[in-house]
Amino acid sequence: MVNLPLKANGANAWFGWPNDDKLENLRAQWIKATTLDERKKLATAIQERAFEVVPYLPTGQWKPNTAYRKNLKGVIQAPAYLMWNVEKV
């Protein structure tokens, strides 16, 4: 459910996004599922439907290169820039 490009709710999604009621119904069922087995089955169905309708094509990944000075300590290595905990020594 954190894969936002997988949404297929047309006008309620990003500009020009597809509309597929079956995929959206499967996603809603997954959210409401109470057991792990039920979620696994629905996840498989979601993936199969996504391969049928292809709501988006990933065009690549982007990862910035970052350099820090030697006199900094407390830099947190994370997917996002976290500027707290940093000290200049």
Side-chain angles (χ1 to χ4, degrees), residues 9-89:
N9 57 348
N12 294 325
W14 291 330
F15 175 78
W17 223 244
N19 189 19
D20 185 62
D21 293 335
K22 184 175 179 181
L23 183 56
E24 284 302 302
N25 185 30
L26 288 168
R27 294 181 55 182
Q29 288 178 43
W30 187 89
I31 291 171
K32 294 175 185 176
T34 57
T35 66
L36 182 60
D37 287 337
E38 190 179 0
R39 280 200 166 174
K40 284 182 179 181
K41 288 177 185 175
L42 287 165
T44 299
I46 288 169
Q47 188 160 2
E48 287 173 355
R49 183 62 182 172
F51 277 111
E52 290 172 15
V53 297
V54 191
Y56 75 101
L57 292 172
T59 56
Q61 294 181 340
W62 177 74
K63 182 179 177 186
N65 292 322
T66 306
Y68 298 100
R69 296 173 62 134
K70 290 182 182 182
N71 65 341
L72 293 180
K73 74 174 193 174
V75 175
I76 300 170
Q77 298 297 321
Y81 292 113
L82 305 174
M83 294 303 192
W84 53 83
N85 197 48
V86 178
E87 293 181 52
K88 185 177 175 184
V89 291

